């Protein structure tokens, strides 16, 4: 029997029995973890209120054996709130739908339980903090998170230089399957020709240039969101259910 302590973001919950829940979290040190929280669905349980989606928590786990992720699910025996991001997210539809898409994305990019994914974890914490504070438009925060998640997982798109030959940008054509912007010589069937301002916006979201991103026109934001969604779906091989509800 072993005790483990880690901090993490609650991604989702599932009912178990009459009063328990299975909590899925993205943790700093152990990656994605599923654990059983006993009695958290009882109305008098203060413990359960801390283990809702979007919550940033410090958690203690009790597991059989020397590894946190093993044959059976560990028990979540203690939880302390670090930051209740849900309070600033769930009361606003645009923030809630964007945040839900972030949680689903983080879970999809951490396929194997127990494998640390520190960069993905830090991205999620920063994105939820920004979303809860309302510092930028929710759909922009979401697109920035999606692009950076793709980047840290090895799928960084190019929005300037040619993704095939490296010809300095800007380049007119864009191909999801080819990795982003393409020059005239490297263009492939199925390329689209987004506006130059859209590619500038996407580059700004990827690099964190919020001054440029916040000043973008709505039509370029919509076009950019479509490219981000298509690029994400291509690399995940199936779409995110929550993206269809996001306000653009």
């Amino acid at each position: 029997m072993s005790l483990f302590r880690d901090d993490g973001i609650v991604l989702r919950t599932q009912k178990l029995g009459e009063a328990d829940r299975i909590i899925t979290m993205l943790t700093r040190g152990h990656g994605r973890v599923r654990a059983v929280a006993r009695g958290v669905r009882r109305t008098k349980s203060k413990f359960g209120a801390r283990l809702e989606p979007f919550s940033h928590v410090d958690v203690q786990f009790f597991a059989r054996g020397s590894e946190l992720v093993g044959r059976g699910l560990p028990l979540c025996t203690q939880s302390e709130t670090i930051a209740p991001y849900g309070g600033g997210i769930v009361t606003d539809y645009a923030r809630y739908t964007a945040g839900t898409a972030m949680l689903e994305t983080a879970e999809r990019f951490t396929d194997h339980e127990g494998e640390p994914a520190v960069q993905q974890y830090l991205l999620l914490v920063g994105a939820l903090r920004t979303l809860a504070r309302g510092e930028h438009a929710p759909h922009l925060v979401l697109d920035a998170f999606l692009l950076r998640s793709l980047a840290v997982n090895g799928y960084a798109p190019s929005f300037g230089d040619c993704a095939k030959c490296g010809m300095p940008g800007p380049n007119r054509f864009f191909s999801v399957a080819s990795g982003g912007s393409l020059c005239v010589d490297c263009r492939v069937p199925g390329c689209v020709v987004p506006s130059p301002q859209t590619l500038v916006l996407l580059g700004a979201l990827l690099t964190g240039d919020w001054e440029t991103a916040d000043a973008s026109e709505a039509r370029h934001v919509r076009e950019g969101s479509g490219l981000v969604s298509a690029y994400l779906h291509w690399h995940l091989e199936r779409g995110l259910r929550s993206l269809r509800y996001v306000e653009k």
Side-chain angles (χ1 to χ4, degrees):
M1 304 294 185
S2 304
L3 287 175
F4 299 86
R5 198 169 191 92
D6 208 340
D7 57 272
I9 296 288
V10 178
L11 301 178
R12 63 187 173 96
T13 64
Q14 298 168 269
K15 292 180 180 180
L16 179 66
E18 294 184 358
D20 305 337
R21 277 197 180 120
I22 297 175
I23 312 295
T24 302
M25 286 176 279
L26 179 58
T27 66
R28 180 189 295 271
H30 298 88
R32 184 163 61 87
V33 173
R34 290 188 306 146
V36 174
R38 297 271 176 84
V40 296
R41 288 166 54 203
R42 295 192 179 100
T43 56
K44 295 182 179 180
S45 174
K46 295 181 181 179
F47 181 40
R50 301 171 190 154
L51 294 174
E52 293 293 334
F54 306 112
S55 295
H56 188 194
V57 290
D58 183 338
V59 185
Q60 180 175 279
F61 301 101
F62 177 78
R64 297 178 182 274
S66 59
E67 300 291 334
L68 176 58
V69 177
R71 293 182 180 178
L73 295 180
L75 293 179
C76 180
T77 57
Q78 185 178 345
S79 173
E80 297 294 335
T81 300
I82 298 174
Y85 295 130
I89 294 175
V90 299
T91 55
D92 181 88
Y93 181 80
R95 293 183 194 178
Y96 175 74
T97 52
T100 300
M102 291 178 191
L103 299 185
E104 186 180 354
T105 300
E107 184 170 2
R108 291 283 296 279
F109 272 124
T110 51
D111 286 337
H112 303 291
E113 292 186 19
E115 292 186 3
V118 179
Q119 286 183 300
Q120 185 67 67
Y121 166 78
L122 294 176
L123 272 177
L124 183 59
V125 172
L128 292 180
R129 183 190 303 120
T130 301
L131 192 65
R133 292 176 178 174
E135 296 176 1
H136 307 284
H139 52 274
L140 289 179
V141 178
L142 172 60
D143 284 344
F145 173 77
L146 297 179
L147 288 172
R148 295 178 199 181
S149 293
L150 285 160
V152 301
N153 285 282
Y155 306 118
S158 172
F159 299 118
D161 297 346
C162 178
K164 281 193 171 182
C165 70
M167 178 179 175
N171 288 292
R172 293 180 53 205
F173 303 97
F174 189 92
S175 169
V176 168
S178 299
S181 295
L182 296 175
C183 65
V184 175
D185 295 332
C186 294
R187 62 178 176 174
V188 295
C191 280
V192 295
V193 186
S195 67
Q197 294 90 338
T198 297
L199 295 179
V200 169
L201 165 63
L202 294 178
L205 291 175
L206 182 59
T207 59
D209 180 3
W210 284 106
E211 183 177 355
T212 298
D214 289 336
S216 298
E217 295 182 20
R219 58 196 175 102
H220 300 141
V221 172
R222 287 192 297 270
E223 186 178 38
S225 292
L227 292 179
V228 173
S229 178
Y231 195 86
L232 179 73
H233 289 182
W234 173 267
H235 288 288
L236 287 179
E237 297 182 355
R238 66 182 191 273
L240 295 178
R241 290 175 298 174
S242 50
L243 270 185
R244 72 187 70 173
Y245 304 109
V246 175
E247 288 187 339
K248 298 296 184 182

